[in-house]
Amino acid sequence: FVAIDRYVVDLRDREKGTVKKSIAVLGDGLAPLRIEENPNGKDLVFAEFTCNMGAQKNAQARIILMHGQKSLKEHYYKTKSSQKDNSPFSGNGDKFRTMIIFCDGL
């Protein structure tokens, strides 16, 4: 995984009418995550890591993956877009590994 940029973003809870800040990291590549399908057939992504900054340790991470015409699992775990593709990063074709990682507890 290579981080491209980082941001401080406002996350609005429309039901509660509250706003909280989160740190978001835009990047591409392989990251420790798990993709599961819920009973409705929707893919859910779970971070298998936590965020740390200064004295704050083990803040839960959330991941948003780029969508395409296939399931997230098919796009993310597709190993090669061609015989010559050995890259761990997104590529031409259907290999999508671009993501935003949110560290809400920081």
Side-chain angles (χ1 to χ4, degrees):
F1 178 81
V2 173
I4 297 167
D5 208 349
R6 68 191 185 302
Y7 310 91
V8 175
V9 295
D10 289 333
L11 299 176
R12 300 184 195 291
D13 185 326
R14 293 175 193 215
E15 292 177 11
K16 296 179 182 176
T18 59
V19 177
K20 67 178 182 176
K21 298 238 182 254
S22 180
I23 293 176
V25 177
L26 171 67
D28 192 88
L30 293 170
L33 58 84
R34 182 176 82 252
I35 301 172
E36 295 179 0
E37 192 175 292
N38 73 8
N40 298 330
K42 182 180 177 187
D43 285 329
L44 302 174
V45 181
F46 299 94
E48 296 286 322
F49 59 92
T50 58
C51 301
N52 299 297
M53 184 172 78
Q56 294 175 298
K57 306 289 184 207
N58 297 319
Q60 183 60 46
R62 288 186 301 121
I63 297 176
I64 298 175
L65 291 174
M66 188 171 100
H67 286 264
Q69 78 279 14
K70 298 179 182 178
S71 72
L72 290 177
K73 192 177 280 189
E74 289 175 293
H75 282 300
Y76 186 79
Y77 290 114
K78 182 173 179 155
T79 54
K80 296 183 178 203
S81 59
S82 72
Q83 288 290 345
K84 297 178 182 178
D85 180 10
N86 293 318
S87 171
F89 303 106
S90 296
N92 293 336
D94 291 325
K95 188 171 73 169
F96 300 159
R97 292 182 176 157
T98 301
M99 65 186 75
I100 298 176
I101 299 171
F102 286 95
C103 297
D104 297 335
L106 299 181

